[in-house]
Structures are given as structure tokens and as C-alpha cells.
Amino acid sequence: MTRFRYSVGNTTLGSEVPAAQDGTATVTIDVGTVTGERPVYAVSVDRRGRISSMTQGAFTVYAVWSLQGRAIDANTWLPVEGATIRLEPAGVEVVTGPDGIFQVAVDPGLYTLTGTYAGPPSLSGSSQPLELDGQGLWFDLLLLPDPAS
């Protein structure tokens, strides 16, 4: 075999890549921003132009969370379900799950994280500025009793 023809998402086989001497090929696919499973179709072509049967495979595209963490009650050290976590200046807001975990996908930059929980008891907390570099960061946000409640 001398080359492979392939396509992602349909059977048009509109792309082609040469085969290495060992009969393999490496392909880099721009997956864009849509997550989920993607079908990929391929055939091999020999030096006489004969084409193999089409093979179908699949790969899955996952979101890369640039910030993950857990909201923790500073008194009990337990995770806080239902806390509202806000990332500024992005204006992104998420609510923690049963395990207190939150996750946010944002561009690299400098952000401040704040968390509130309506209670009872009312809790709140804030981070120092966090620098997100696109590589991912885990941050436990401690929520303290709200002095106003």
C-alpha cells in the first residue's frame, strides 16, 4: 500500500495521506469545537491504484476544562452541593454538583473565582487572582460563614 484515503463524518474519502514504509500513517485531524463521537472512514490504496474495502472507526472529542475544583464548607470540610461559582471577568457562572465539584472552560487569562451558597447556613468565598494557562487547573474554593447572615 502506498497511501490512505479517509474522511471524518461522511464516506466521501476527500483526504489522502501517504503510507510509511511499514504500511502505517499518522493523521492530524482538526476537530473544531464540537464535542462528541465522530465517525472516521478509510481505505488503503496500493501502487496499482487498487482500493481496499472501506473501514469505519470512531473517536470522541472531549471538552478540556481549563478550571476544575470543589466548593468546600470551611467549617465542616465537606463539599457544598448547590453552591454558585462565578468566574470574573468572564462572567461565567456554574452550580456545583452533589460532590461540590465545578468545571469551567475559558480562554487563558487572569480570573477571580467567587462562590456563594444560600444555605442555611449562608456561605461565601473568593480566590486571589488565578492565572489559567490553558493546561488545566484544580482549585478548592473554601466557603466561609457569611457575616451578613
Side-chain angles (χ1 to χ4, degrees):
M1 101 190 47
T2 59
R3 63 190 185 276
F4 293 94
R5 291 172 43 198
Y6 69 94
S7 61
V8 175
N10 59 54
T11 59
T12 60
L13 303 176
S15 299
E16 190 170 289
V17 62
Q21 286 184 342
D22 65 357
T24 64
T26 300
V27 177
T28 301
I29 298 171
D30 180 5
V31 296
T33 60
V34 178
T35 59
E37 187 172 284
R38 306 274 181 80
V40 60
Y41 304 90
V43 297
S44 60
V45 182
D46 70 10
R47 68 175 148 248
R48 292 187 179 156
R50 294 179 291 191
I51 299 173
S52 72
S53 300
M54 186 178 301
T55 301
Q56 178 184 351
F59 62 92
T60 304
V61 179
Y62 297 96
V64 176
W65 302 107
S66 52
L67 176 62
Q68 295 181 0
R70 178 172 292 150
I72 298 173
D73 182 325
N75 285 330
T76 65
W77 293 98
L78 293 173
V80 179
E81 178 180 7
T84 301
I85 307 298
R86 188 165 178 84
L87 197 63
E88 291 296 347
V92 175
E93 194 171 273
V94 296
V95 176
T96 59
D99 51 7
I101 291 180
F102 59 89
Q103 47 193 12
V104 180
V106 292
D107 292 329
L110 197 59
Y111 297 93
T112 300
L113 192 63
T114 58
T116 56
Y117 177 70
S122 294
L123 303 170
S124 64
S126 182
S127 72
Q128 297 296 316
L130 300 172
E131 185 170 356
L132 302 179
D133 60 5
Q135 299 298 309
L137 175 68
W138 180 273
F139 188 84
D140 286 330
L141 182 62
L142 294 178
L143 302 180
L144 302 166
D146 190 350
S149 61

